[in-house]
Amino acid sequence: MNSYHQPTQPHFDTTDSDVATALTYVRAVQLRLKTDRRRAFASLQDLFRDGEPPEAPLAGRYGGQLLAFDIAPGLTKLADTMAAQWRFWLGKTFDAPQRMGDDIYLRTFLRRTRRFAPNYQNYIDDTPQTWRVFPFRTTLTDSIVNTSLPVLRLDYDLPINPRLSVARTMDEIVQLADGVYLGRAFVHWWWGRWQPVAYFVLRPAENERVV
């Protein structure tokens, strides 16, 4: 990785990293996003490429935090504004034996956005404030954009998900350190191209803070 976003060492190495080091890198990128989004995204791309596939299957509940969006000028600003106002996406759950999982969202956010998927009914009670929604399949495979990089892929193309939105998305996850995972979300546009549109962090739910 380039020197402008290195807080501690010239190259992030998952084989020699601990949780504190991994989180230091992620927080450095968060700071860079406030002043130079282009370089911050370059840092995120580098950090993701330096990751490894998860050492063990993800199982149970993981807290999540969105780091950055890069969709399109108008949509990126809207997504950034919504994410800044409140954490509407709170993480994921994983069922390792079934190779399945789903996302955790604030109920208030989903109620406001129901008009975009009025026929979707798969709202699973989670907590008084959250629902579990949008199931996905998990597979260890190569990245869709870096074919030499093995990742954990989360595929939302399931009949139960809204066909024009959620079913056209996919996540990839790599491990930065024990219990620290970096993810990137993709959208499959109607003209046939997969585009990375967001980066996020996952950590086991027992951690008080995600980042």
Side-chain angles (χ1 to χ4, degrees):
M1 294 163 63
N2 297 327
S3 60
Y4 59 74
H5 52 77
Q6 289 308 307
T8 55
Q9 59 188 41
H11 179 74
F12 184 84
D13 184 357
T14 56
T15 63
D16 191 37
S17 66
D18 58 19
V19 171
T21 302
L23 294 178
T24 296
Y25 273 79
V26 172
R27 290 165 185 155
V29 173
Q30 286 183 301
L31 290 174
R32 174 65 70 179
L33 280 163
K34 297 177 181 179
T35 57
D36 193 332
R37 288 182 66 87
R38 182 183 64 82
R39 288 189 172 184
F41 270 94
S43 299
L44 285 169
Q45 291 166 8
D46 288 348
L47 193 57
F48 194 92
R49 283 193 293 264
D50 287 340
E52 301 284 346
E55 293 177 355
L58 273 64
R61 190 181 186 90
Y62 289 75
Q65 183 172 331
L66 288 163
L67 296 178
F69 293 95
D70 188 22
I71 311 170
L75 291 176
T76 296
K77 185 175 181 181
L78 174 62
D80 281 342
T81 300
M82 292 172 62
Q85 287 179 348
W86 81 99
R87 284 181 59 200
F88 53 87
W89 173 77
L90 298 181
K92 299 178 184 288
T93 66
F94 292 86
D95 183 339
Q98 297 297 319
R99 298 183 180 180
M100 296 289 292
D102 52 28
D103 282 272
I104 305 167
Y105 278 86
L106 282 177
R107 296 188 184 211
T108 50
F109 173 78
L110 291 173
R111 290 191 185 105
R112 294 179 185 182
T113 58
R114 267 183 170 175
R115 63 183 180 275
F116 297 109
N119 297 322
Y120 184 78
Q121 299 296 326
N122 192 44
Y123 297 94
I124 301 172
D125 282 331
D126 185 52
T127 72
Q129 293 78 36
T130 60
W131 276 318
R132 288 168 44 208
V133 291
F134 310 141
F136 51 77
R137 289 188 299 261
T138 63
T139 310
L140 279 173
T141 186
D142 294 333
S143 169
I144 198 169
V145 293
N146 304 100
T147 55
S148 62
L149 176 65
V151 300
L152 178 66
R153 179 180 296 176
L154 315 185
D155 184 359
Y156 290 84
D157 188 9
L158 300 174
I160 199 171
N161 287 328
R163 300 304 303 165
L164 298 180
S165 54
V166 177
R168 302 184 68 89
T169 64
M170 177 182 66
D171 295 342
E172 294 181 346
I173 291 174
V174 294
Q175 181 172 326
L176 302 183
D178 185 23
V180 181
Y181 304 91
L182 179 64
R184 59 183 174 188
F186 289 80
V187 168
H188 190 194
W189 297 117
W190 293 273
W191 51 88
R193 184 171 70 92
W194 284 100
Q195 177 188 338
V197 295
Y199 282 88
F200 59 90
V201 173
L202 289 177
R203 296 188 68 195
E206 60 265 24
N207 294 285
E208 244 179 70
R209 294 179 55 194
V210 178
V211 178

